[in-house]
């Protein structure tokens, strides 16, 4: 008899998101220059691994997980393309204000996804709330020509990425040991 249960793909997607978000925001905070490590992680772990996690969430009939992981995986792939396509001579660099509009759209999407977390673990709510704040800060920084906001956004992004990594490891360890090793906040009743 075949195993009728499927593994939880969420930790893969959360780690892909979390680690990539931390790397980019180490740059945004001013601690490191933009580096190939950010771009490569954005393509492979933040991008491709999250898309795969989203497709696996489809198999588990989880619309939220499918939408979140696939969308944010595509966010990372498109973000890397926004950075690299101009350097490859394929297009001009994006206008900073238009980049702000792009970030604002992602912030609006994330705010709606946050509402979807209200039936989930508290840590998941924190990930999406902090991501909404991150997108808002970055959008305002670009739309209002306030580059001084970017380092603050960077610190919010580091916290957001770390919270996603924590949630991923909480799900892995709690399932592995069949008890709470890392508390992630009970789902509301």
């Amino acid at each position: 008899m075949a195993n009728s249960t499927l593994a939880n793909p969420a930790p893969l997607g959360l780690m892909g998101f979390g680690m990539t978000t931390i790397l980019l925001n180490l740059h945004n905070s001013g601690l490191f220059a933009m580096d190939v490590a950010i771009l490569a992680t954005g393509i492979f772990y933040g991008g491709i691994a999250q898309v795969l996690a989203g497709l696996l969430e489809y198999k588990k009939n989880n619309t939220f997980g499918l939408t979140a992981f696939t969308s944010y995986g595509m966010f990372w792939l498109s973000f890397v393309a926004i950075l690299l396509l101009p350097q490859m001579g394929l297009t001009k660099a994006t206008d900073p204000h238009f980049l702000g509009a792009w970030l604002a759209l992602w912030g609006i999407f994330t705010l709606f996804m946050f509402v979807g977390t209200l039936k989930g673990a508290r840590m998941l709510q924190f990930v999406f709330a902090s991501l909404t704040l991150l997108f808002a800060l970055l959008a305002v920084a670009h739309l209002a020509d306030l580059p001084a906001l970017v380092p603050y956004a960077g610190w919010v992004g580091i916290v957001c990425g770390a919270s996603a990594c924590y949630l991923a490891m909480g799900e892995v360890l709690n399932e592995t040991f069949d008890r709470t090793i890392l508390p992630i906040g009970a789902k509301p009743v």
Side-chain angles (χ1 to χ4, degrees):
M1 180 179 199
N3 184 353
S4 63
T5 61
L6 299 173
N8 180 5
L12 170 64
L14 287 163
M15 284 303 294
F17 169 80
M19 288 176 59
T20 310
T21 300
I22 290 169
L23 286 175
L24 176 60
N25 286 288
L26 287 170
H27 161 69
N28 284 341
S29 68
L31 295 174
F32 292 94
M34 179 58 73
D35 188 85
V36 68
I38 298 168
L39 301 175
T41 305
I43 293 169
F44 295 103
Y45 205 29
I48 295 171
Q50 274 198 95
V51 169
L52 292 173
L55 295 176
L56 292 169
E57 290 285 6
Y58 167 82
K59 183 75 173 160
K60 292 190 70 147
N61 199 29
N62 181 351
T63 302
F64 182 90
L66 165 70
T67 304
F69 291 131
T70 306
S71 295
Y72 293 114
M74 291 300 180
F75 164 84
W76 284 111
L77 293 171
S78 63
F79 179 71
V80 171
I82 287 168
L83 295 177
L84 290 184
L85 291 176
Q87 291 186 9
M88 297 168 67
L90 298 175
T91 185
K92 290 190 237 176
T94 189
D95 175 89
H97 294 119
F98 197 64
L99 183 62
W102 183 77
L103 291 163
L105 285 172
W106 278 104
I108 292 166
F109 169 74
T110 302
L111 178 61
F112 278 103
M113 293 300 289
F114 166 74
V115 172
T117 69
L118 296 177
K119 290 184 73 175
R122 298 286 183 225
M123 201 66 207
L124 183 63
Q125 294 171 19
F126 184 84
V127 170
F128 277 84
S130 60
L131 183 57
T132 301
L133 177 59
L134 172 60
F135 278 127
L137 289 169
L138 290 171
V140 169
H142 285 83
L143 289 169
D145 294 317
L146 296 170
L149 277 181
V150 173
Y152 295 104
W155 290 106
V156 170
I158 292 167
V159 170
C160 175
S163 69
C165 292
Y166 176 89
L167 177 56
M169 290 301 93
E171 290 193 16
V172 168
L173 295 175
N174 295 348
E175 180 183 318
T176 300
F177 290 96
D178 199 27
R179 64 185 173 92
T180 300
I181 301 295
L182 293 177
I184 58 174
K187 293 180 182 180
V189 179

